[in-house]
Amino acid sequence: MNQAAVWSKVDQYIAERLIEQDVILDNVLTNNQEAGLPVIDVSQAQGKFLNLLVRLHGSKRILEIGTLGGYSTIWLARALPSNGQLVTLELDPHHAQIAAANLALAQVQDKVEIRVGEALQQLALMRDEGVEAFDFIFIDADKPNNPAYLKWALHFSHPGTVIVGDNVVRGGEVLDENNPDPRVIGVRQFYDLLAEESRITATAIQTVGSKGYDGFMIGLVTR
């Protein structure tokens, strides 16, 4: 059995032992596939990891940059208290439409606002609207804009805000400073900004599993 197959089998083992079977989330993934959405959702284990982070932190307000079909959105929204709110940003109207249906299926639509359009424009609008800071921010959108998303995340943070970024290892390609892939360049610039920014303390954890070899960044805003 090759390494990638082992990673996937272990993910399956973890899910079977530690994550309750959830017909709704299974249906969400099926809906996304049938709607032609790219198969880039977080895994079950990663979804529960995000859910637990929110619960451990006691977050009441979440910002998600990158909705896709709402799979990670549901994991995050389920961790919120009854008066919690999640704002999620999605570029593609079709993706947003599928996500809205999935959120309704999971009965979390009352906690979630989907904002449709280019994320950087939406973030600027949110600033102009005076949207208050968030307790937890999940960055999982187009990687070339990761540095800009981090700057906006810091704008919408307060001391104690947790910021998580997905796909920050990219199969180890982040090591190659000459890699021309805009996604790798964006992630490397993301690291550079984290290293220079005094308002946040952060680390990154490499991950393997059904999503391949990648990683999460987790940071705590300190001021």
Side-chain angles (χ1 to χ4, degrees):
M1 188 181 299
N2 64 39
Q3 194 170 49
V6 172
W7 295 343
S8 293
K9 291 276 189 184
V10 172
D11 252 8
Q12 183 179 352
Y13 175 84
I14 291 169
E16 289 173 352
R17 297 302 185 277
L18 303 180
I19 304 173
E20 292 183 11
Q21 185 174 4
D22 192 314
V23 174
I24 289 174
L25 284 172
D26 291 344
N27 288 340
V28 166
L29 292 177
T30 299
N31 293 343
N32 292 351
Q33 183 178 9
E34 291 178 349
L37 274 59
V39 186
I40 54 175
D41 303 281
V42 298
S43 69
Q44 282 181 283
Q46 291 169 344
K48 183 149 187 195
F49 173 72
L50 293 170
N51 178 281
L52 289 172
L53 284 180
V54 172
R55 292 166 63 186
L56 285 166
H57 186 245
S59 305
K60 294 182 179 178
R61 287 177 51 77
I62 299 174
L63 172 64
E64 180 184 45
I65 304 176
T67 315
L68 194 62
Y71 183 75
S72 58
T73 317
I74 293 168
W75 275 110
L76 292 166
R78 284 178 167 179
L80 286 170
S82 58
N83 62 342
Q85 183 186 27
L86 189 157
V87 176
T88 185
L89 311 181
E90 175 53 47
L91 171 65
D92 190 308
H94 175 59
H95 294 178
Q97 182 181 18
I98 300 303
N102 286 332
L103 295 173
L105 178 67
Q107 298 184 335
V108 296
Q109 72 276 16
D110 291 343
K111 294 181 180 180
V112 181
E113 176 189 1
I114 304 174
R115 297 182 65 121
V116 183
E118 206 277 325
L120 295 178
Q121 294 178 4
Q122 288 297 320
L123 290 161
L125 283 172
M126 289 166 60
R127 175 200 58 198
D128 295 344
E129 294 166 8
V131 172
E132 63 182 283
F134 295 89
D135 306 315
F136 189 97
I137 299 173
F138 181 43
I139 302 172
D140 190 15
D142 55 308
K143 308 312 169 190
N145 279 320
N146 261 15
Y149 294 148
L150 179 58
K151 291 176 182 178
W152 276 112
L154 289 167
H155 173 82
F156 285 110
S157 294
H158 56 73
T161 294
V162 171
I163 301 175
V164 176
D166 196 9
N167 309 122
V168 298
V169 173
R170 308 209 64 81
E173 292 182 349
V174 289
L175 294 175
D176 184 2
E177 63 183 11
N178 298 312
N179 193 311
D181 187 333
R183 296 168 298 182
V184 175
I185 294 170
V187 171
R188 286 180 58 87
Q189 291 174 345
F190 183 70
Y191 276 106
D192 291 342
L193 184 57
L194 285 166
E196 297 165 1
E197 179 54 67
S198 62
R199 289 173 290 173
I200 184 171
T201 180
T203 190
I205 299 296
Q206 299 179 80
T207 61
V208 297
S210 57
K211 309 303 294 183
Y213 170 35
D214 219 314
F216 278 112
M217 181 285 295
I218 183 167
L220 178 68
V221 177
T222 56
R223 63 177 181 84

